[in-house]
Amino acid sequence: MIRKALADYLDLEHHTLWQLSTSTAVVEGVFGDALHVRDLADHGDFGIGTFEQLDGEGILLDGVCWQACADGRLREAPPEEGIPFWIATHFESEQRVQLGPVSSFEQLGALLDPHRPGANLFVALRIRGMFEELLVRSVSRVEAGATLLDATRSQTTFSHQAISGTLVGFWSPTHASSLNIPGYHLHFLSDDHRHGGHLLDLKAASLDVDFDFQSNLRLALPETREFLTADLTADPTAALEEAETNQGQ
Ligand SMILES: [Zn+2]
C-alpha cells in the first residue's frame, strides 16, 4: 500500500513539469523575485529560467543552478538569488536518440519533431554533444517597468566554436502559449562550466538527445504585489516570438 502510494507519487514527480509564473507575465515585465534559487530543489533537478530583473539566463542541470550573465560570466547561482520565472522537472530519460548532422536551430527542431508524441504534451529535452558552432544570448538586468522586449533589445550574444556541452530545455505546445513559450526553448551549459546562455543557433555533426515526456503540469503563480496587479489579458505571442528568436547585435 505504502509502496504503491510512493510509486504513484514518484511517477507523478517524474512526469511533472513545475512552472513558476507565466510567459504572459514575463512579457509584461513581471521580473521581481517570486521565489529563490534554493526553492528549485523542491521541484526538480533540471530546467531553465531567469533571475530577478532578468539578470541573466538560468540553467538547472543535475541539481545545480547556473547563471549565465550578460557580461559573459557563468557562475553557480547563489541560493538567495531571486527567480521570477522558471520551468523545472525531475528529469528521467524515457527515450534516447542520436541526431545529426544539424545545421541550424530550425533544422534541430525538424529533426526532433518526429520523436515527440504529438503536438499536445510538454517534453523535457537534454541534448549533449560537441557543437561546431553555437550562438547563445544572455539578457541583462533591467530596471523596474521594462518589458521583455526592452530587455532582449539590449541582450548580448556570444558565438562559440568547437564547444562541448549540454542543451537543457523544453518543447511546449501552442495550446499553452499564455503559460509558456510555444516550441523549443533551450539553454546551453558548457562542459567546462565557463559558458552558457539561451540558444539562438547551432551546428553539430552528431547530438545525443534524451526525451522526458511531461503529462502533468503544476503551475505556481506568484503572490507578489507585482504579479497580483499586472494586466495579463494581452496575447503574448508576437512579443514572445520576437524576444525568443531576436539575434540582435
Ligand atoms: Zn531562454
Side-chain angles (χ1 to χ4, degrees):
M1 188 70 180
I2 288 172
R3 208 161 11 174
K4 167 100 172 58
L6 187 64
D8 288 348
Y9 173 73
L10 289 175
D11 190 52
L12 179 70
E13 287 287 291
H14 277 130
H15 300 290
T16 298
L17 191 81
W18 173 85
Q19 181 171 321
L20 172 64
S21 193
T22 70
S23 53
T24 312
V26 173
V27 166
E28 294 300 325
V30 181
F31 303 143
D33 55 332
L35 286 175
H36 299 91
V37 165
R38 62 173 173 269
D39 300 313
L40 288 172
D42 295 336
H43 306 290
D45 56 8
F46 177 98
I48 56 177
T50 188
F51 302 92
E52 187 177 359
Q53 298 308 125
L54 287 191
D55 195 5
E57 310 281 345
I59 309 112
L60 178 66
L61 182 62
D62 300 324
V64 181
C65 183
W66 300 91
Q67 183 173 14
C69 304
D71 62 5
R73 283 177 310 131
L74 183 93
R75 64 169 187 168
E76 202 175 322
E80 66 278 9
E81 183 82 17
I83 51 172
F85 177 83
W86 207 277
I87 318 163
T89 189
H90 294 276
F91 192 88
E92 189 181 41
S93 177
E94 292 182 77
Q95 186 182 328
R96 176 170 295 180
V97 298
Q98 202 170 47
L99 298 179
V102 180
S103 60
S104 67
F105 183 54
E106 196 183 350
Q107 198 206 353
L108 174 65
L111 292 170
L112 291 169
D113 283 344
H115 300 283
R116 288 188 291 100
N120 300 326
L121 277 191
F122 290 86
V123 181
L125 298 143
R126 185 178 64 200
I127 304 175
R128 293 182 170 129
M130 163 66 81
F131 299 84
E132 288 156 26
E133 286 179 43
L134 191 79
L135 183 68
V136 294
R137 71 112 197 268
S138 284
V139 281
S140 53
R141 190 178 176 85
V142 294
E143 297 306 318
T147 66
L148 181 65
L149 277 179
D150 297 333
T152 56
R153 281 174 188 142
S154 64
Q155 69 188 0
T156 317
T157 57
F158 302 94
S159 69
H160 301 284
Q161 282 78 38
I163 188 167
S164 63
T166 305
L167 293 168
V168 170
F170 299 88
W171 183 87
S172 301
T174 304
H175 69 72
S177 62
S178 64
L179 300 180
N180 216 314
I181 298 153
Y184 295 97
H185 182 186
L186 298 161
H187 287 187
F188 176 75
L189 178 69
S190 68
D191 284 344
D192 62 9
H193 297 159
R194 290 180 58 218
H195 304 285
H198 168 106
L199 179 70
L200 293 173
D201 210 356
L202 76 161
K203 276 194 177 67
S206 173
L207 296 171
D208 294 308
V209 184
D210 286 289
F211 295 85
D212 186 359
F213 308 115
Q214 312 278 311
S215 49
N216 299 291
L217 175 65
R218 286 182 60 201
L219 181 62
L221 294 177
E223 293 180 64
T224 56
R225 191 182 139 69
E226 186 187 20
F227 185 85
L228 295 175
T229 57
D231 179 358
L232 305 180
T233 56
D235 180 347
T237 311
L240 279 175
E241 173 69 20
E242 182 179 342
E244 294 313 303
T245 57
N246 174 20
Q247 301 200 358
Q249 301 174 341

